[in-house]
């Protein structure tokens, strides 16, 4: 599988020789469909894809931080909480109280409510 993946990638890379550098399309390495903007066809450029690479890297880093924090929290809980039933109950009560307070306080702190649209407004927006 790995060899065939490398082979098809190299074939597409070699097929891009002779075309505009950095342009991606159907006969090139990547193709995301046809885009018409103000009467002319457009395509992605390599530099535009870097934004998605950065977003992917940030998602990976955030996921790694979450996994590390989760592991440390689990080890702490095994070491300190799991030895007695009372500590387990206290942990559940504290977490439930904290979540309830945050859920109640956030709308009060935010201070701004948006009224729901009426059914006629929603049906009119779908009709157009």
């Amino acid at each position: 599988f790995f060899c065939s993946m490398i082979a098809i990638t190299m074939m597409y890379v070699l097929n891009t020789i002779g075309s505009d550098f950095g342009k991606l399309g159907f006969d090139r390495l990547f193709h995301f469909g046809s885009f018409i903007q103000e009467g002319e066809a457009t395509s992605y450029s390599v530099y535009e894809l870097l934004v998605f690479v950065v977003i992917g890297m940030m998602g990976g880093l955030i996921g790694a931080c979450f996994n590390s924090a989760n592991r440390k929290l689990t080890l702490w809980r095994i070491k300190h909480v799991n030895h007695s039933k009372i500590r387990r109950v206290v942990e559940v009560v504290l977490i439930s109280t904290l979540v309830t307070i945050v859920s109640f306080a956030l709308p009060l702190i935010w201070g701004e409510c948006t009224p729901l649209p009426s059914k006629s407004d929603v049906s009119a927006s779908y009709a157009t």
Side-chain angles (χ1 to χ4, degrees):
F1 176 76
F2 181 75
C3 291
S4 63
M5 182 178 65
I6 296 299
I8 194 72
T9 303
M10 287 307 300
M11 185 183 75
Y12 279 129
V13 166
L14 292 175
N15 277 341
T16 61
I17 294 174
S19 64
D20 294 333
F21 177 75
K23 290 295 184 183
L24 308 171
F26 180 68
D27 57 345
R28 297 169 187 95
L29 184 58
F30 299 107
H31 179 63
F32 298 106
S34 299
F35 299 97
I36 307 291
Q37 180 179 2
E38 298 176 7
E40 63 182 52
T42 60
S43 179
Y44 282 107
S45 295
V46 172
Y47 70 89
E48 293 170 329
L49 295 177
L50 292 177
V51 174
F52 296 106
V53 170
V54 170
I55 290 172
M57 289 170 44
M58 293 301 294
L61 289 173
I62 291 170
C65 290
F66 174 80
N67 288 338
S68 175
N70 190 22
R71 183 175 184 272
K72 288 178 182 179
L73 177 65
T74 301
L75 291 175
W76 182 85
R77 287 182 68 239
I78 289 171
K79 191 174 185 181
H80 294 95
V81 176
N82 283 345
H83 297 297
S84 82
K85 290 183 179 182
I86 294 174
R87 288 183 181 180
R88 291 183 203 169
V89 170
V90 169
E91 179 191 26
V92 169
V93 169
L94 285 176
I95 291 174
S96 299
T97 304
L98 179 69
V99 168
T100 302
I101 289 171
V102 168
S103 298
F104 184 77
L106 276 179
L108 294 176
I109 293 170
W110 196 265
E112 212 174 292
C113 292
T114 305
L116 292 173
S118 66
K119 286 186 178 183
S120 60
D121 293 339
V122 173
S123 61
S125 67
Y126 284 120
T128 57

